[in-house]
Amino acid sequence: MKLPYHAATSITISAVLYMVFKSWGMALACLIAGIFIDLDHFIDVGREHGWPFKVKKFFRVCNKGQFHRIVLIFHGWEWVFLSGIAAWMTNWTPWITGVFVGLGTHLVLDAFHNSNNLLSYSLIWRWKKGFHFDTIFSNLKSTKYRYKDTPLN
Ligand SMILES: [Zn+2]
């Protein structure tokens, strides 16, 4: 899912969390986690296409899925699970709970918008598939925007 939609969703959910729990920490953590999880795309774009790159190129690469391999280190159900366990074990500490909600919301949106396989957002599953983009996001195979057809330099 694209950044503006993640931002709008995270702002809305953070506002709801604040209204319900009256916690700025929870709301802010949810907002930050829900948006900045996508920073891991910079790592993948840099690894695949080299540094430095321009913002326009970055969004083109991401929106068209121009990757041979994709790691997305922060995009994993495993992080949602671990943050949920951490929130539970700390008696639902507001900022940890906010991170849990922010990560979870982001991944649910990504999973249903970008893939036809919920496993695409499992870090372990992607690792087992060698982080091979076309295997992980097999629904995007037919895209006309192929990596090799669109040199980025
Ligand atoms: Zn994302």
Side-chain angles (χ1 to χ4, degrees):
M1 181 176 262
K2 293 181 179 179
L3 183 60
Y5 298 108
H6 278 306
T9 305
S10 291
I11 289 168
T12 304
I13 291 175
S14 297
V16 170
L17 284 179
Y18 180 75
M19 286 188 282
V20 173
F21 296 102
K22 305 292 184 216
S23 167
W24 281 112
M26 183 185 293
L28 195 60
C30 177
L31 183 69
I32 290 170
I35 295 173
F36 289 96
I37 179 180
D38 276 340
L39 286 176
D40 60 4
H41 287 67
F42 283 104
I43 300 168
D44 283 304
V45 172
R47 181 183 42 74
E48 291 261 326
H49 299 284
W51 304 87
F53 50 80
K54 294 181 177 163
V55 173
K56 190 175 176 183
K57 182 167 113 178
F58 169 79
F59 282 104
R60 188 179 73 202
V61 167
C62 291
N63 292 335
K64 295 181 178 180
Q66 296 171 321
F67 298 96
H68 283 304
R69 293 174 8 117
I70 191 152
V71 177
L72 294 176
I73 192 71
F74 301 144
H75 285 69
W77 299 119
E78 294 84 354
W79 298 126
V80 177
F81 176 76
L82 290 175
S83 62
I85 294 291
W88 175 65
M89 288 179 71
T90 59
N91 200 24
W92 304 101
T93 299
W95 73 268
I96 298 175
T97 305
V99 168
F100 168 61
V101 174
L103 290 179
T105 304
H106 185 108
L107 280 192
V108 166
L109 291 172
D110 271 357
F112 285 100
H113 188 265
N114 299 339
S115 177
N116 59 0
N117 182 354
L118 291 178
L119 289 173
S120 297
Y121 285 91
S122 162
L123 199 52
I124 294 169
W125 188 79
R126 289 198 306 273
W127 172 58
K128 285 183 171 181
K129 299 296 178 186
F131 298 108
H132 184 248
F133 184 88
D134 285 350
T135 303
I136 295 164
F137 292 103
S138 59
N139 57 308
L140 302 177
K141 269 185 175 175
S142 61
T143 181
K144 63 182 178 180
Y145 305 114
R146 304 306 307 147
Y147 178 96
K148 62 178 182 281
D149 298 336
T150 52
L152 299 171
N153 297 323

